[in-house]
Amino acid sequence: MKEKKDPVNGALQHAGEPTVVTPELLALDKERVTSESEISDEEFLFKLNGVPCCPRGDLSTMTGPAKTGKTNVAAMLMACCANRRVLGFERIGEEPLKAMWFDTEQSRCTTKRILTDRIGGLLGGGLFPDEQFFVFNVRGHMPKERIEMLALAIKTYEPDICIIDGIADLLDDINSGPASVELMQRLLTIASVNKCNITAMIHLNRSGEKLNLRGWIGTVMVQKSYEVFNCDKVPKKQTFSIGLTFSRRYYLEDPMYYEYDESGLPIVTDEPEGARNGRKDGSAGKDENRSFNKEFTDEQASDAYLPWDFRKLFDTAMGGAASLGYDELEKRVMGLSGIRQKQYYYRVFDAAERQRVVKKVLDKSGRVAVIMLPC
């Protein structure tokens, strides 16, 4: 049997220092991750269109412009805790989950109506399973009181998922950097200790950029969250969508589109024509491939679907800049390459990230930017 080494004493001896092990050093060593560390994989609660989401013990963010269905998507997640499948969401485990909804924005009357009508409607009627749902309306309390009530509620009722609608109301000032960092660290600790997922909702800024969340708290949420859901509404249509703008592990190729039936309940629908330049799969078809700028393609590329010289393409688009805004880079790359479909561009950018050509960062204003990585 392989003898287990003491990494603390070993490192000190290797460095030629006296083996004085302090309590602080022992505490630090407990946080070390090595190739032999026994660490469990993430445990996801749901799938969205087949892609795992909402990891236990971590944070998720749900964003989008105002009136684009964020609360409705939260209702779908809660209903999925009781029913195995709700529209494009599927609960991974067979056992029902306990859900908590922490409403900071709406009236108590509205909160109850959402619980009984929207969530109850998605459950299909019958006796409402109140023992699975812990819903609190804290609009009448101050921000500091709300966060303490949230911590107490999660510790007491032990939900599998807690949805905060919305997180901005847990702060006196959403543009306070220190307060935003402290709040997100507090939520990370609560989620980790209680082994639940916390999904927090926040509006986008008016610019509409998918990762430009409101206030300094929005900036920190992008940094700390495992994933970011984006809710949207198709222009000039009564069709809504929910997708994954960002995930630390998975890529969601197709968002879920839904409409409302005559009874006011959401139902899955096909992608409306024109939502992504008329292509349902978001891929590059033959006609688009012919329009690519061959100056930036690689004939020797192993993947005919992504035939790009990623470094040449993105380096040219950057134009020598140390960093560039995410949306500005998107415009430049699409203009240079001949790519016409945004969803296909997202695939190109993801591939460039995986090949360590580019990397997302936050600029001095807290906005998402991109830098080139060295060869």
Side-chain angles (χ1 to χ4, degrees), residues 41-333:
D41 204 0
E42 296 102 333
E43 178 186 350
F44 295 91
L45 302 181
F46 307 102
K47 290 181 180 179
L48 172 59
N49 281 1
V51 173
C53 60
C54 299
R56 194 184 290 276
D58 218 321
L59 305 183
S60 303
T61 290
M62 188 180 299
T63 189
K67 310 302 180 184
T68 53
K70 292 185 289 296
T71 300
N72 290 329
V73 174
M76 295 176 201
L77 281 172
M78 292 185 67
C80 201
C81 289
N83 287 3
R84 188 68 183 272
R85 293 178 180 82
V86 175
L87 281 78
F89 286 103
E90 178 183 359
R91 190 177 72 245
I92 293 177
E94 293 188 8
E95 291 296 320
L97 302 174
K98 291 196 291 185
M100 180 174 290
W101 178 27
F102 208 70
D103 190 350
T104 68
E105 296 185 343
Q106 299 161 113
S107 69
R108 292 176 65 83
C109 180
T110 300
T111 300
K112 182 180 179 183
R113 187 163 54 246
I114 292 171
L115 178 66
T116 57
D117 296 352
R118 295 190 197 177
I119 299 175
L122 288 168
L123 292 177
L127 187 64
F128 194 90
D130 275 310
E131 68 281 359
Q132 279 185 251
F133 296 94
F134 302 90
V135 178
F136 299 92
N137 185 296
V138 295
R139 190 173 73 163
H141 295 266
M142 299 301 290
K144 290 183 179 179
E145 294 177 316
R146 291 170 184 151
I147 184 62
E148 296 305 326
M149 295 172 75
L150 174 68
L152 177 61
I154 292 177
K155 180 180 180 181
T156 303
Y157 297 104
E158 300 179 331
D160 297 288
I161 182 172
C162 174
I163 297 170
I164 304 174
D165 186 5
I167 194 173
D169 294 316
L170 301 184
L171 291 169
D172 291 310
D173 179 6
I174 64 171
N175 289 308
S176 169
S180 298
V181 171
E182 182 180 351
L183 173 60
M184 290 304 294
Q185 190 56 54
R186 181 87 184 272
L187 293 179
L188 276 168
T189 301
I190 292 172
S192 177
V193 169
N194 294 280
K195 295 181 174 55
C196 69
N197 172 268
I198 295 179
T199 295
M201 297 162 63
I202 188 171
H203 291 302
L204 283 176
N205 279 321
R206 293 182 179 178
S207 69
E209 294 178 23
K210 289 184 178 181
L211 288 177
N212 188 12
L213 281 60
R214 184 169 295 176
W216 197 270
I217 181 61
T219 299
V220 182
M221 289 174 76
V222 172
Q223 291 177 323
K224 300 295 185 181
S225 293
Y226 188 92
E227 62 200 356
V228 178
F229 293 95
N230 185 69
C231 300
D232 209 349
K233 184 177 183 295
V234 178
K236 300 181 181 180
K237 296 182 182 292
Q238 295 302 312
T239 305
F240 297 80
S241 67
I242 173 68
L244 272 177
T245 302
F246 165 79
S247 171
R248 297 192 186 278
R249 183 170 178 181
Y250 292 103
Y251 172 78
L252 177 63
E253 182 173 350
D254 296 308
M256 179 186 79
Y257 291 90
Y258 64 97
E259 296 177 345
Y260 290 90
D261 62 18
E262 296 178 354
S263 63
L265 292 176
I267 54 173
V268 171
T269 186
D270 292 333
E271 177 184 328
E273 184 177 352
R276 288 183 297 176
N277 297 322
R279 293 195 63 85
K280 291 184 181 299
D281 57 2
S283 63
K286 292 182 180 179
D287 291 340
E288 170 132 354
N289 265 305
R290 293 195 191 102
S291 69
F292 288 159
N293 186 343
K294 303 303 181 184
E295 179 183 353
F296 300 105
T297 58
D298 180 3
E299 294 182 358
Q300 306 301 319
S302 58
D303 187 351
Y305 175 67
L306 296 168
W308 298 100
D309 183 334
F310 294 105
R311 186 160 294 278
K312 183 178 181 180
L313 174 60
F314 281 90
D315 190 46
T316 304
M318 292 289 291
S323 69
L324 199 66
Y326 180 84
D327 282 11
E328 176 61 26
L329 180 64
E330 176 185 308
K331 293 176 185 177
R332 292 189 186 186
V333 171

